[in-house]
Amino acid sequence: QELMVESEGGLVQAGDSLRLTCTASIRHFRTYAVAWFRQSPGKEREFVAGISRGGGTTDYAESVKGRFAVSRDNDKNAAYLQMNSLKPEDTAVYICAAGGVVAQAPRRYAYWGRGTQVTVSA
């Protein structure tokens, strides 16, 4: 059973926007922080954005600040990543994860999705 499932990504052009959804089937979803990571071929998994249990605290990688926004709806067991002003360097597999607290280290997250490909063309 997949506990974290990302919505389909896609191919977009530079400057476009895209919204990803992460749907969780873990129990007590509202007690977990949620984060989005991304990974490109040959690169380590990179923290993108995170949101606390109640949504009151967020954290972003410097490379996406001002362009991306993370949110969640605990009643729907879902988290979202709104990506605006996309750049070719944003091309990666985007993966959502759930853990105890918002942290940039992947090891702090217990549940992971399989990821979804986002490709940004120049």
Side-chain angles (χ1 to χ4, degrees):
Q1 180 186 8
E2 294 183 78
L3 300 179
M4 309 283 286
V5 180
E6 299 88 354
S7 60
E8 186 174 354
L11 172 63
V12 297
Q13 293 185 333
D16 284 352
S17 297
L18 189 64
R19 187 194 198 206
L20 300 180
T21 299
C22 175
T23 303
S25 58
I26 53 177
R27 293 184 64 187
H28 310 302
F29 172 75
R30 64 181 67 244
T31 67
Y32 290 89
V34 175
W36 289 90
F37 289 80
R38 65 187 181 187
Q39 190 162 21
S40 303
K43 294 186 178 180
E44 292 187 354
R45 189 163 294 188
E46 174 191 20
F47 173 83
V48 175
I51 187 166
S52 60
R53 302 166 184 175
T57 300
T58 57
D59 189 24
Y60 296 92
E62 287 295 327
S63 59
V64 306
K65 277 184 180 178
R67 299 188 298 122
F68 290 14
V70 60
S71 60
R72 66 188 296 163
D73 185 337
N74 286 336
D75 291 335
K76 295 182 178 179
N77 274 25
Y80 310 95
L81 184 66
Q82 177 66 44
M83 303 183 291
N84 301 321
S85 302
L86 282 161
K87 304 175 181 180
E89 50 263 44
D90 294 318
T91 295
V93 173
Y94 284 74
I95 311 158
C96 64
V101 295
V102 176
Q104 298 196 1
R107 68 179 184 276
R108 301 296 295 272
Y109 295 86
Y111 301 101
W112 291 86
R114 293 187 176 183
T116 187
Q117 177 70 45
V118 173
T119 303
V120 184
S121 63

